[in-house]
Amino acid sequence: KAGVTQTPRYLIKTRGQQVTLSCSPISGHRSVSWYQQTPGQGLQFLFEYFSETQRNKGNFPGRFSGRQFSNSRSEMNVSTLELGDSALYLCASSFRQGSTEAFFGQGTRLTVV
Amino acid sequence: AQKITQTQPGMFVQEKEAVTLDCTYDTSDPSYGLFWYKQPSSGEMIFLIYQGSYDQQNATEGRYSLNFQKARKSANLVISASQLGDSAMYFCAMRHDTYTGNQFYFGTGTSLTVIP
């Protein structure tokens, strides 16, 4: 079966712009969570969705937002981009909360110039 | 507070040898899961192995095994018969089995290099 699909793979944006990233989980998986990975901060949790509801949110400013659709696909949006938002954004897909497996996509590498 | 510690920033291993990557964790919650992921330079996080806090036996998946010592709060990954393709970053992660929060807490990772 298809894995977790994140689009686009690469993005270059200018400071002040906004960006939308997409994550399509494995078919049948209802839990999607997002992480930001940077060399300085490592992997940090952004938010988690289950059945279209945000269950949990990390310590990020309000410029970071997300949503999940009825087909479990999720999007995250970052408004008013800053240079520090340059990172690899990863999404993880699980069948349900508490699953013994969680699969990640290949990530979207965002560069803010 | 939940915390994952990986004390080995970089490790080298000879091809076909076994290697152990260390991971310790800290939590007051009795129910949790421990995961190991491999991240090659392409960026994708590849799921390797899972250990539940109530599992009595150590998890194994092919060449990967998890040495789970609950009292010491350690969850070391053992890779047997290392291959060149095993060169990558390895992350230990913990997740709690609750319905109010399901995020991963990651360690800082260990960079493994397999030498031919």
Side-chain angles (χ1 to χ4, degrees):
Chain A
K1 56 183 176 182
V4 181
T5 303
Q6 290 189 246
T7 56
R9 290 290 311 281
Y10 302 92
L11 265 179
I12 300 176
K13 290 286 188 178
T14 305
R15 270 184 305 174
Q17 287 186 312
Q18 75 164 17
V19 66
T20 299
L21 312 182
S22 177
C23 173
S24 293
I26 292 171
S27 179
H29 284 196
R30 297 164 65 190
S31 176
V32 173
S33 52
W34 289 87
Y35 295 83
Q36 181 197 65
Q37 185 177 26
T38 59
Q41 299 297 319
L43 284 145
Q44 293 185 286
F45 170 70
L46 281 157
F47 19 67
E48 173 200 352
Y49 289 89
F50 183 78
S51 293
E52 302 178 66
T53 302
Q54 187 181 87
R55 292 284 184 165
N56 206 358
K57 189 176 191 302
N59 189 25
F60 278 82
R63 300 185 297 107
F64 291 81
S65 62
R67 58 180 175 169
Q68 186 179 34
F69 301 95
S70 59
N71 62 357
S72 293
R73 188 178 71 87
S74 178
E75 289 181 347
M76 66 164 282
N77 184 77
V78 188
S79 62
T80 320
L81 283 165
E82 300 177 358
L83 295 179
D85 297 334
S86 295
L88 179 66
Y89 290 88
L90 292 158
C91 89
S93 157
S94 299
F95 175 65
R96 58 172 176 79
Q97 293 177 304
S99 289
T100 60
E101 293 178 319
F103 299 95
F104 283 79
Q106 290 187 297
T108 294
R109 195 169 294 277
L110 172 65
T111 302
V112 182
V113 298
Chain B
Q2 295 82 11
K3 186 179 177 183
I4 298 283
T5 303
Q6 294 181 255
T7 57
Q8 306 154 312
M11 290 280 286
F12 291 87
V13 64
Q14 204 76 36
E15 193 178 6
K16 300 180 185 177
E17 296 291 311
V19 63
T20 299
L21 306 184
D22 295 341
C23 172
T24 58
Y25 60 93
D26 185 25
T27 181
S28 56
D29 195 314
S31 180
Y32 52 89
L34 296 159
F35 297 73
W36 276 92
Y37 285 90
K38 170 185 177 181
Q39 187 178 43
S41 57
S42 61
E44 181 181 7
M45 297 283 276
I46 301 168
F47 169 74
L48 295 178
I49 198 166
Y50 166 87
Q51 179 84 42
S53 60
Y54 294 116
D55 293 343
Q56 295 295 313
Q57 298 202 335
N58 288 341
T60 59
E61 289 284 352
R63 295 186 299 112
Y64 305 106
S65 61
L66 200 152
N67 184 0
F68 181 46
Q69 297 188 42
K70 193 170 181 177
R72 297 179 59 186
K73 293 188 175 178
S74 76
N76 299 339
L77 176 71
V78 180
I79 305 175
S80 63
S82 296
Q83 301 172 356
L84 296 178
D86 293 336
S87 294
M89 282 291 291
Y90 288 80
F91 290 93
C92 178
M94 177 172 63
R95 188 166 78 175
H96 290 88
D97 299 334
T98 73
Y99 288 88
T100 57
N102 209 37
Q103 78 254 36
F104 281 106
Y105 297 90
F106 285 94
T108 51
T110 295
S111 176
L112 177 66
T113 302
V114 180
I115 304 165

